[in-house]
Amino acid sequence: MARELVNHIVENDLVEGTKLPNEKQLVEVFEVGRTTLREALRLLETRGVISIRPAR
């Protein structure tokens, strides 16, 4: 899942600071559960690929 997210970022030429779709949209697009998505996002955050910020 993490690899698919990275591919999505690269294929869509997302530049630093671009917001990803919200969790609900990502779950629908990638057809995975919330837990799987959250684990992938945390992994990418620990590797410095993305930055996770709480919703306001």
Side-chain angles (χ1 to χ4, degrees), residues 27-49:
V27 164
E28 290 173 2
V29 168
F30 292 103
E31 299 178 344
V32 296
R34 287 177 57 201
T35 303
T36 301
L37 176 65
R38 287 178 177 183
E39 287 177 14
L41 291 171
R42 280 190 214 109
L43 174 66
L44 294 178
E45 183 179 37
T46 61
R47 293 191 176 176
V49 176

Side-chain angles (χ1 to χ4, degrees):
M1 179 66 239
R3 187 175 297 129
E4 288 183 43
L5 277 169
V6 170
N7 289 340
H8 172 78
I9 292 168
V10 171
E11 289 171 3
N12 291 290
D13 294 321
L14 301 181
V15 296
E16 187 174 335
T18 302
K19 291 183 181 181
L20 291 174
N22 67 36
E23 184 179 270
K24 183 179 178 183
Q25 293 169 326
L26 289 172
V27 164
E28 290 173 2
V29 168
F30 292 103
E31 299 178 344
V32 296
R34 287 177 57 201
T35 303
T36 301
L37 176 65
R38 287 178 177 183
E39 287 177 14
L41 291 171
R42 280 190 214 109
L43 174 66
L44 294 178
E45 183 179 37
T46 61
R47 293 191 176 176
V49 176
I50 64 170
S51 175
I52 297 176
R53 298 183 189 146
R56 295 181 185 178

